[in-house]
Amino acid sequence: MPSFNRLFIAEKPSAARTLADFLARSQGIKAQAFSTHIVVGEDALCWERGHLLELVDADHYDPRFAKWRFDDLPIIPNEFILAPKRDMKGNRAGANAHIAAIGKLLKECQTVVGFGDPDAEGQMIQDEILIYLKNRKPVIRLWASALDDSSLTKALAAMKPNVEYLGWYEQAMCRSHSDWLYGINMTRACTIHARNAGATSPVYIGRVQTPTLALVVNRELEILNFKSVDYFVPQIALATDPGFKATWMPRADAKGEVIDPRVNDEKLLTNKADAEAIIDLVKRTAQARVLVAKTEPGTESAPLPFALSGLQSHCSKLYGLGATQTLEVVQSLYEKKLASYPRVDTEYLPEDQHADAPKIIASLAKASLPVAIGNALVGARPSLKSRAWNDAKVTAHHAIVPTMLDNPGEIARLSEIELKVYCEIVKRYVLQFWPQAKFMATELVLGVGTGGQMETFGAKGRRYVDDGWRKAFSDANSADDDGADVADPVVTLPQLTKDQTIPVSGAGFESKKTKAKKRFTEGTLISAMKNIHQYVTDPEVRKGLREGSGIGTEATRAKIIDTLLDAKRNLMQTKGKELMPTENGMRMIQLLPPHITTPDMTAVWQQFGAAVQARETTYRDFIVRQSSWITKLVKSSSGFFNPSQFPVDPKNPPRAAAQDTDHECFGLIPTAGCGSKLRLISGQYGPFYKCTNDKCGKTFRQVEGAPQEKTPGGARNSSTDLEAYKGQKYKCKRCEQGSLLKKARRDNTGSFWGCSHWRDADGGCKAAYNDHEGKPDFEGVTKKGGGGRGAANSGGFAPKPANA
C-alpha cells in the first residue's frame, strides 16, 4: 500500500520548501521535514538540485574514445546515456545517494507531480530522472511561473498530464544532445588537425561558445584596425524666441538618399575647406528660410518589465554586476518568493495577471523600500493596463516582476546587492501603472542660400505636455539597455511656419574625430547574444535569429561567458569591466571557417528545436539530421588548418604527430609484450614508443632510433642510462625474478649491470655486477669495484647497509 498520495519532485530544495509551506497552510496542518523529503498530510515533497544526471563522456561508449584519434570520428552514440553527476572532485557518490532517495519515495506514492522549473530545461531535468529511475506511476505537471501564494494557487488548479509537455522535454534533449555531438566531435577534429599543423593548445568548439567568442574577437579587430577620421559639423544659431541651433544636413534626393559628394560613406563631412565654405555662405546670407516645419503630438510608453538578459545588461551598466552574479541574485529573490521565475526571455505579462496588480502594489507599499519607490507607489494607478499586458507575446513564461509579499518585512532582510536588484525589478513593474508621457514633437528644416548652392540645416526636439511615467523615477528615463534608438532630445523649439525667414545670429563648425566602438562588457555581450541578428547579413538567418531570441538561452548565456573566461581555455579575458580575447582566442576565430564562427547554424537549430516543441517534427528526426551534418563537418575539418598559420614558439615547440612503425611490442618488463605494432609518439619529455593494442598499452623508450624497455615503475630514461637490456638474456642470480640492466656509472668510469627489481617494495633487489666486454661479470674477472648504485662485484651481491 503506497504511503503517499502524491510525490512532488521539485527542481530545487527551496521550491519544495515553499510549496510544502503553502500546502500546509492551505490545509491547516503541519509539515514534517526529513533529510530527503517533506511530508504534508497525504503528500510528500522531494527535490533535485538542478541536474542530478549528466551525459557520459565519449569513452563510456567505447574505451578507445579515451584517446583522441581522427579515425574514430564522428562519435555518434546509438542512444545517449546518462549517469549520476560528478561533483567537483569527480565523484558520483553524492548524486547516486540523492537519486536513490528519490527512487525510494517513487515506490511509496500513487501519483508523481513534476515541479521542475517552468521551461524546457526544467522539463528535461524533471523527466530524465523519472526515466532513469524507470518510473511507471502516472505523472502530472505543476507549471508555476512564481512561488507566491497566488501563483501557486493558480498553478495547482491548472495542472495537466505530463505528456502534454513532451515537446518541451524533447526540445531540451535536442539542444543537449546536439551540443554534445557538435562539441565532442568538432573540438576533437579541430584540435587534432590544428596540432598536426603546429598548434600547442586545444581548439574548443561550441555551438554558442564559438560565435560568442567571435563577437568579442571581431570587435577587438575593429578596434585594432580602427583609424580615427577628422570630420566637421557645421551649425547655425537662429535669432528666435526661444533661440535654437540647427545642424548641417548633406544633400539628398527626393527619397531621402544622401547624394552629396562632399561626405564619405559614413555621411561625414571630412574636408575642412568644405565646412568653411558652408559657413562662409551662411555668414554672407545671414538668414535662413523655413523649408519644413512639422509639429505633431506623440506618446511615450514606460519601459517594459525585464527579461533576464535585459536585467543583466541593466545591472551591469548600473552596478557593474557580472551576468552570472545578476542571475544568482534574481534566482535568490525567486526562491525567497519575492520575484517571479528569472530565466525568461520575454518582457510581457499575461493579461489575466493584471487582476493581481492591486494586491501586489498594496503589499509593496508596506515594505521598507527607498523613498523614491514609495512615492512612485503612491502615484501608481493599478487600474491602468500598459502595453506589457499582452497574451500574444507570452508563452510559458512572463517577464520578471515582483510577487505579492506575504511578509513585507522580508525586504528588510535582503543583502545590499539583493535590494538593489529587487528595486530595479520593482521600478519597472510600478511604471506599468503610470500613464503614458505626452509630448509635441517638432521637426524643422532650414535652407540657407538659393538654387543649387543652398545648404540645409535641421533641428528636432520635443516638448512634454504631460510627463506621465517620466515623473515616477528620474533614472528610468534612459535609453533602452538593448541599444534601441534614443528618443529626440528634450528641446523646446519655437513655433515656425513654412517659408518664414529667420535671422542667423551665429555660424561655425565643430571639429570632431570618429571613435572606435567600445569593447563588450558582460552586460553588453549578453545583449549582443540576444540580438545577434544585428550582426548577421543574410535576411533569412536574421529573421530566424530574431524570432529565436538570439544565441543561447536566458539560462545559459551567463554560463557561456564564464566558460570563455576560464583561464584553462585561454580564450577570453577581462580588462576592468571590458572583455578581450586572448591571443589564442583571436587566432582560433581567425583561422576557423565562417560556418563555424557565425551564428547561422544556431538559427537553423533553434528553428528545428521550436518545431520539435510544437510537435511539428520529432527528436529522432532532429538527431538523424544532426548526425548526417556532423559527419560531413568532421570530414571537412581537415582543411581548416595548415602549418603556416602557427608560428613556432621556441619556448613551447609543437610536438610531431604520432607515427606508426614496424617495431613490435616485445620483452617482459614490466609486462610481456603482445607482438602488436608500436607507434612513435612525441611526448612532453621526448619521443617514446607505445603499443597500438589498447589492451596492452606498453610503452618503450627511444634509444638510437629503436624501442627499448623501461626500468620497472615506468622510470624515464635518465642522464646515467647507457643501455637497456633488450629481452631476457641475463637473469638476476640473487632474486631470480628480475633481469639485469646495463647502466652507466655516476662517476663516468664505465658501466655495471643491476637488477631490474631494485625499486620494488621492501628495499628491492640490490644485486649489481661489473661489466665485462658488454656482459655482466658473474665470475669477478674485472677489478673495478663499486657499481652505479654503490654496488661491488663481490659474488654478485651488493653490500648490506651498515645498520643491517
Side-chain angles (χ1 to χ4, degrees), residues 341-494:
Y341 182 66
R343 293 172 171 82
V344 299
D345 58 0
T346 181
E347 300 169 315
Y348 293 87
L349 300 167
E351 295 174 23
D352 64 355
Q353 285 193 13
H354 185 265
D356 299 331
K359 295 179 181 179
I360 295 175
I361 294 293
S363 70
L364 290 171
K366 297 175 184 178
S368 298
L369 293 168
V371 174
I373 293 181
N375 293 336
L377 286 166
V378 171
R381 292 157 52 187
S383 59
L384 291 178
K385 182 180 283 190
S386 76
R387 63 193 175 111
W389 311 94
N390 188 337
D391 284 344
K393 297 187 177 182
V394 176
T395 54
H397 306 107
H398 58 70
I400 303 171
V401 295
T403 59
M404 187 175 72
L405 298 176
D406 300 324
N407 178 16
E410 185 71 21
I411 302 303
R413 290 189 280 274
L414 294 178
S415 68
E416 179 182 0
I417 194 62
E418 284 178 326
L419 182 60
K420 285 181 177 179
V421 175
Y422 180 71
C423 286
E424 296 308 313
I425 295 170
V426 169
K427 286 179 186 178
R428 284 292 179 95
Y429 183 73
V430 172
L431 287 177
Q432 308 313 309
F433 307 103
W434 278 72
Q436 292 180 321
K438 298 178 181 179
F439 59 85
M440 301 298 292
T442 300
E443 178 184 0
L444 298 174
V445 178
L446 310 173
V448 177
T450 58
Q453 300 300 313
M454 179 183 288
E455 301 290 350
T456 56
F457 296 80
K460 290 183 179 181
R462 61 172 58 183
R463 177 174 58 86
Y464 284 90
V465 295
D466 184 349
D467 285 333
W469 64 269
R470 295 175 62 86
K471 293 185 293 186
F473 306 107
S474 60
D475 60 351
N477 305 339
S478 59
D480 192 301
D481 290 300
D482 287 340
D485 293 336
V486 178
D488 295 335
V490 182
V491 175
T492 301
L493 296 176

Side-chain angles (χ1 to χ4, degrees), residues 28-107:
I29 57 178
K30 289 186 177 181
Q32 295 177 281
F34 299 90
S35 61
T36 58
H37 63 287
I38 305 171
V39 176
V40 181
E42 296 182 351
D43 296 329
L45 301 92
C46 65
W47 51 85
E48 300 184 59
R49 292 185 182 274
H51 285 279
L52 286 177
L53 298 166
E54 64 183 0
L55 292 171
V56 298
D57 294 331
D59 60 345
H60 184 95
Y61 299 100
D62 192 319
R64 77 174 189 273
F65 295 155
K67 301 296 182 182
W68 290 22
R69 300 187 186 92
F70 187 74
D71 291 344
D72 291 333
L73 302 179
I75 300 170
I76 301 176
N78 291 326
E79 295 289 338
F80 284 87
I81 299 173
L82 292 167
K85 191 173 183 179
R86 289 165 292 196
D87 59 21
M88 295 295 290
K89 295 182 179 180
N91 299 322
R92 300 187 189 272
N96 260 323
H98 198 141
I99 293 169
I102 296 174
K104 182 179 179 182
L105 292 167
L106 275 174
K107 296 177 182 178

Side-chain angles (χ1 to χ4, degrees), residues 602-635:
T602 290
V604 176
W605 288 17
Q606 290 181 170
Q607 288 173 340
F608 211 119
V612 170
Q613 182 192 312
R615 310 308 296 146
E616 295 169 1
T617 186
T618 65
Y619 160 82
R620 288 292 174 194
D621 187 25
F622 177 87
I623 290 298
V624 167
R625 297 191 186 195
Q626 279 288 303
S627 300
S628 175
W629 179 74
I630 287 288
T631 301
K632 295 176 182 177
L633 198 59
V634 166
K635 289 181 180 179

Side-chain angles (χ1 to χ4, degrees), residues 528-592:
M529 293 170 74
K530 182 174 183 178
N531 298 293
I532 192 71
H533 64 276
Q534 297 174 356
Y535 301 84
V536 174
T537 56
D538 186 288
E540 287 301 314
V541 175
R542 280 176 64 93
K543 180 182 178 182
L545 288 168
R546 183 170 57 248
E547 293 175 351
S549 299
I551 56 174
T553 67
E554 301 291 331
T556 61
R557 289 178 186 131
K559 186 176 180 180
I560 291 294
I561 294 175
D562 287 345
T563 298
L564 289 171
L565 286 171
D566 185 348
K568 294 179 180 178
R569 298 206 168 201
N570 188 27
L571 296 172
M572 197 167 76
Q573 58 193 336
T574 57
K575 183 179 181 182
K577 293 182 182 179
E578 296 179 329
L579 300 174
M580 296 175 58
T582 62
E583 183 179 347
N584 181 59
M586 288 271 284
R587 183 187 297 114
M588 189 184 89
I589 294 301
Q590 289 177 294
L591 296 184
L592 288 169

